[in-house]
Amino acid sequence: MPLREKVSFAGDAAKLAGHLFLPDAARTDDAAPAPGVVVAGTWTSVKEQMADRYAEELARRGYAALSFDFTGYGESAGEPRDYESPRLKVQDLRAAADFLTGHPAVSNAQLGALGVCAGAMYVSALAAEDSRVGSLALVAPWLHDRRICEENYGGPDGIKAKKLAAAEARRRYEETGEVAYVPVVSGSDPEAAMPFDIDFYLDPGRGGIPQWPNRFAVMAWPGWLDYDAVAIASKVTAPVLLVHSEDAAIPDGARRFHDGLAGSREFLWTEGIQFDFYDQSPQVDFAADAAAEHFARTL
């Protein structure tokens, strides 16, 4: 069984809490440092929902893998809470890379990153900016640009409405310190970030866990909607593996990201809906095996 250590480290904005999963071989006194992998889960998520799962699976396959809560989420410090900021999440990932490469059980010359869903955008941005990241694995990647956001959020008018709501929420926060929230997931609230009944997030046996409050800070919409992940591809020179399904989220964005990559790339297509890749077999096993093999070849 992999070892799991509760860890904390300094981010740019707050103290961050994480879990470091180490291979079973790390129990021995003469164990060699293992290659390190930083793991990022979906937008709004906490580490226990899917990042822990992938980090543990990578540790079973010989890697030292770090999952953690981003600033303002879960056990990490930071205000406002549950505020989705791509810019801040990339900064947090850089701090996680600092921690991981400085750990005595980790080889500081071998660093990979794995992102699930929107985590794929964030680890890709990290790799584009940080030459320490030698390899990327993107699982069921959500990789959007303006066109994809318009397709998924009600067209130009839908995006305009969300930005107007965000501006009002920002004004309210700056005047009163009060954060306006909507649910992340709800089939009954049309203002929810994902206005659908999604079993993964609503089932307490899956992602509907106590650590995740199911809330989205309304003032975060502009940072999310204006983020162009597809444009990042041309700046990524590290080898990239993408694992996806035609039945999962926005495969067109993943294809365009893949086509724009500057370095070597591999696309593995399999079956399953988006949420299967968060916690279900065989999707998680398939993706973890593929990622481990990819890191073995490229780190």
Side-chain angles (χ1 to χ4, degrees):
M1 289 286 294
L3 301 171
R4 192 191 83 168
E5 297 181 358
K6 290 198 72 169
V7 299
S8 62
F9 53 95
D12 287 359
K15 187 175 182 180
L16 306 178
H19 292 147
L20 177 61
F21 291 85
L22 298 172
D24 183 63
R27 298 175 191 273
T28 62
D29 293 337
D30 59 347
V37 181
V38 177
V39 180
T42 68
W43 74 328
T44 81
S45 68
V46 293
K47 59 187 179 300
E48 291 83 2
Q49 285 175 302
M50 70 288 295
D52 271 2
R53 175 72 180 270
Y54 276 91
E56 182 174 6
E57 291 299 329
L58 287 171
R60 292 181 189 278
R61 292 158 174 81
Y63 296 89
L66 175 66
S67 59
F68 69 99
D69 290 322
F70 289 98
T71 296
Y73 285 91
E75 294 182 301
S76 289
E79 299 288 342
R81 306 299 296 173
D82 305 298
Y83 174 77
E84 189 70 22
S85 169
R87 177 191 58 79
L88 182 54
K89 286 196 166 184
V90 176
Q91 291 178 3
D92 286 349
L93 282 164
R94 187 176 300 108
D98 291 341
F99 169 80
L100 196 55
T101 55
H103 194 282
V106 181
S107 169
N108 62 11
Q110 295 174 290
L111 179 65
L114 182 147
V116 182
C117 189
M121 297 201 298
Y122 305 146
V123 298
S124 297
L126 175 70
E129 300 172 5
D130 194 328
S131 61
R132 293 176 299 176
V133 181
S135 185
L136 286 178
L138 312 181
V139 178
W142 177 283
L143 297 156
H144 72 219
D145 59 7
R146 178 72 180 196
R147 187 179 92 189
I148 288 170
C149 282
E150 288 184 353
E151 291 170 354
N152 284 272
Y153 295 107
D157 289 343
I159 288 178
K160 181 180 179 180
K162 289 188 183 302
K163 287 187 173 183
L164 286 172
E168 173 58 24
R170 173 67 67 181
R171 183 197 62 77
R172 177 173 159 190
Y173 175 69
E174 291 176 352
E175 289 182 358
T176 70
E178 183 180 352
V179 182
Y181 292 105
V182 294
V184 176
V185 172
S186 173
S188 60
D189 188 343
E191 300 304 315
M194 292 186 283
F196 315 103
D197 286 326
I198 300 173
D199 181 67
F200 172 82
Y201 288 106
L202 301 177
D203 182 350
R206 298 185 69 190
I209 58 177
Q211 299 93 322
W212 183 71
N214 189 17
R215 62 183 186 178
F216 180 88
V218 175
M219 62 183 174
W221 275 123
W224 171 260
L225 294 169
D226 291 338
Y227 199 70
D228 189 342
V230 176
I232 293 170
S234 63
K235 303 172 187 175
V236 177
T237 58
V240 180
L241 168 71
L242 300 94
V243 178
H244 216 344
S245 164
E246 290 288 0
D247 295 321
I250 55 168
D252 180 56
R255 273 190 285 266
R256 289 196 284 125
F257 181 89
H258 169 271
D259 292 345
L261 285 165
S264 64
R265 79 295 302 264
E266 180 182 5
F267 220 140
L268 291 180
W269 292 96
T270 185
E271 298 181 351
I273 63 170
Q274 184 73 13
F275 312 104
D276 291 340
F277 289 92
Y278 298 172
D279 68 338
Q280 297 293 298
S281 295
Q283 284 79 14
V284 172
D285 296 334
F286 178 86
D289 282 341
E293 292 170 4
H294 172 72
F295 290 139
R297 291 193 308 269
T298 56
L299 283 180

